[in-house]
Amino acid sequence: MSKFDLTMPKMGESITEGTIINWLINEGDSFEEGDIILEVATDKVDNEVPAPKSGTLVKTLFKAKDVVPVGQVIAVLEVTTSESKKVVTSSAVETLPKKQKATQQKPQPKSGGTPSSSSSSSFSTSNSNTFFSPLIQKIAKEQHISFEELARIPATGHEGRLRKSDVFNYIEDGRPYKFAQPVTQDPTAYRIPQLKFDKGKGKIIEMDRMRQMIADHMVYSKHTSPHVTAYVETDMTNMVNWRNANKKAFEEKYGERLTFTPLFVEAVAKAVKDFPNINASVDGNNIIVKEDINIGMATALPSGNLIVPVVKNADQKDLKTLAQNVNDMANKARENKLGGDDIKGSTFTISNVGTFGSVMGTPIINQPEVAILALGIIKKRAEVMETEKGDEIAIRSMMYLSLSFDHRVVDGFLGGSFVRRVADYFEQFDINREI
């Protein structure tokens, strides 16, 4: 054991002093490396000061609410020397299973190392400023957070170390880097500011398994795909009038309700066939253009959760079969009877946000697809129509389409052309079509 002077850390370029909030370790108490010894406040943020090594707090030189200049000694510690730590490490290795022992006995750098890099109780990544204390490792184990995910959490501790509050804030934010690819942290790179939001008080509702999966999928999609949304307005009058005139006869002939959804699926499948690159996914540096056109339909469940049943090979089916498939999927969804095959294999997804009265939406892409189409509410409006007699005002059934696409592989020309083609198929619907 050796004496160690704990100084007031520098917590920013413009910070020259800090105020001790409180001591978390009392004189005579022992602590582990990385444990928080005290909390310090500056004019910008509160900080936790971790123990640089394991040991005992011998004496505090300042008390709570004292203002101390940066670099001033604030406490005297008795810490474990590097030699004694090596003895502990070697004895601990002897008691480990062979496989784990081999992992712990990997050769360490002969120079430039620190005591923490040779300790079996610490973990470091390629970023030399990233350190995971035993406390952080314990929290990560309890929360099932891997070391790779820990390495992606923005750290605000001294010298870039990860603090307990960083981990808990990250968990409360929904673990946004859970699926991110590991990267080497650049100390000069932009860091997410550690903002302390007031979450307020109220009823706490634990997410069910499906809601957790939806949350993870949505966050993953936003972090994976740079979303761009294109909007188009379309005249639905022909389709609306045809459906109103034929829905009763259609149900009597085929025993199936004729909603707008199979008509939407039919037109979207035709447009996908015209622009096959919209029917794709990304695999590393490769684009996979799918042969099958399988249209997913975002559907709300009675529980309020969301699910996407799939109409397989939609481009090869007539309106009767599409209506059967759509109605069957909708009934299964309402009764919670959808099977695994019913929700797999979609290559392009539509979301009928108009069902809930929404004029338009900015949908999140259903990974691994590269685009998703939202269909707004159909509303009657006075529109200026160009006729042989000139401009006239007429009452038309209008709808907004919004296409969110992955700008990694879909550019504005493709995205805009595709959504415009869907709108054209809606507008040019054959009013004399036979059922």
Side-chain angles (χ1 to χ4, degrees), residues 121-172:
S121 63
S122 65
F123 176 87
S124 63
T125 65
S126 56
N127 186 341
S128 60
N129 290 327
T130 303
F131 174 87
F132 301 139
S133 68
L135 177 62
I136 295 297
Q137 293 187 49
K138 180 174 181 291
I139 296 171
K141 184 177 181 181
E142 292 172 350
Q143 299 294 331
H144 306 290
I145 299 176
S146 66
F147 282 130
E148 289 78 13
E149 187 177 356
L150 276 178
R152 295 191 285 269
I153 300 175
T156 61
H158 180 54
E159 295 182 350
R161 290 186 176 182
L162 194 64
R163 300 189 301 165
K164 177 177 67 174
S165 58
D166 295 332
V167 179
F168 285 136
N169 288 339
Y170 171 77
I171 294 171
E172 289 179 1

Side-chain angles (χ1 to χ4, degrees), residues 109-348:
K110 293 182 179 181
S111 63
T114 64
S116 62
S117 66
S118 62
S119 169
S120 62
S121 63
S122 65
F123 176 87
S124 63
T125 65
S126 56
N127 186 341
S128 60
N129 290 327
T130 303
F131 174 87
F132 301 139
S133 68
L135 177 62
I136 295 297
Q137 293 187 49
K138 180 174 181 291
I139 296 171
K141 184 177 181 181
E142 292 172 350
Q143 299 294 331
H144 306 290
I145 299 176
S146 66
F147 282 130
E148 289 78 13
E149 187 177 356
L150 276 178
R152 295 191 285 269
I153 300 175
T156 61
H158 180 54
E159 295 182 350
R161 290 186 176 182
L162 194 64
R163 300 189 301 165
K164 177 177 67 174
S165 58
D166 295 332
V167 179
F168 285 136
N169 288 339
Y170 171 77
I171 294 171
E172 289 179 1
D173 289 339
R175 296 171 64 179
Y177 305 126
K178 183 176 181 180
F179 299 98
Q181 295 298 316
V183 296
T184 301
Q185 293 187 3
D186 181 357
T188 65
Y190 171 77
R191 303 180 77 84
I192 297 175
Q194 298 300 298
L195 304 177
K196 295 185 177 180
F197 294 109
D198 180 8
K199 292 183 172 58
K201 298 179 180 179
K203 181 181 178 182
I204 297 176
I205 302 175
E206 185 177 356
M207 291 186 185
D208 58 26
R209 179 175 173 273
M210 178 171 283
R211 176 49 55 184
Q212 292 179 33
M213 293 173 64
I214 294 171
D216 286 345
H217 193 82
M218 295 298 100
V219 172
Y220 172 71
S221 183
K222 292 294 285 187
H223 278 274
T224 300
S225 302
H227 282 56
V228 177
T229 305
Y231 303 89
V232 166
E233 188 179 31
T234 183
D235 188 340
M236 300 291 291
T237 305
N238 286 353
M239 182 182 289
V240 170
N241 290 342
W242 181 87
R243 175 181 172 272
N244 290 339
N246 291 278
K247 61 182 179 180
K248 185 176 180 181
F250 188 92
E251 186 169 2
E252 290 175 352
K253 183 175 182 178
Y254 300 117
E256 297 288 345
R257 292 176 58 248
L258 180 60
T259 64
F260 280 107
T261 303
L263 296 170
F264 292 162
V265 171
E266 181 183 54
V268 168
K270 288 169 65 177
V272 168
K273 205 166 185 177
D274 295 340
F275 296 92
N277 286 349
I278 208 79
N279 195 52
S281 62
V282 179
D283 181 19
N285 293 325
N286 297 321
I287 301 173
I288 303 173
V289 180
K290 308 296 179 65
E291 295 179 353
D292 296 330
I293 298 177
N294 302 331
I295 306 298
M297 308 178 299
T299 305
L301 295 173
S303 62
N305 288 323
L306 179 71
I307 200 165
V308 184
V310 182
V311 178
K312 307 286 178 63
N313 300 310
D315 59 314
Q316 301 174 20
K317 296 177 178 179
D318 58 17
L319 185 60
K320 170 194 169 185
T321 307
L322 289 174
Q324 289 174 339
N325 288 172
V326 168
N327 292 336
D328 182 51
M329 294 292 184
N331 292 332
K332 285 183 177 180
R334 282 191 292 268
E335 298 170 5
N336 292 318
K337 292 182 178 179
L338 286 170
D341 291 338
D342 295 330
I343 57 175
K344 289 182 180 179
S346 65
T347 60
F348 184 91

Side-chain angles (χ1 to χ4, degrees), residues 14-31:
S14 61
I15 304 300
T16 59
E17 61 185 17
T19 302
I20 296 176
I21 301 175
N22 64 309
W23 291 92
L24 303 180
I25 303 293
N26 298 319
E27 291 184 356
D29 290 349
S30 60
F31 50 82

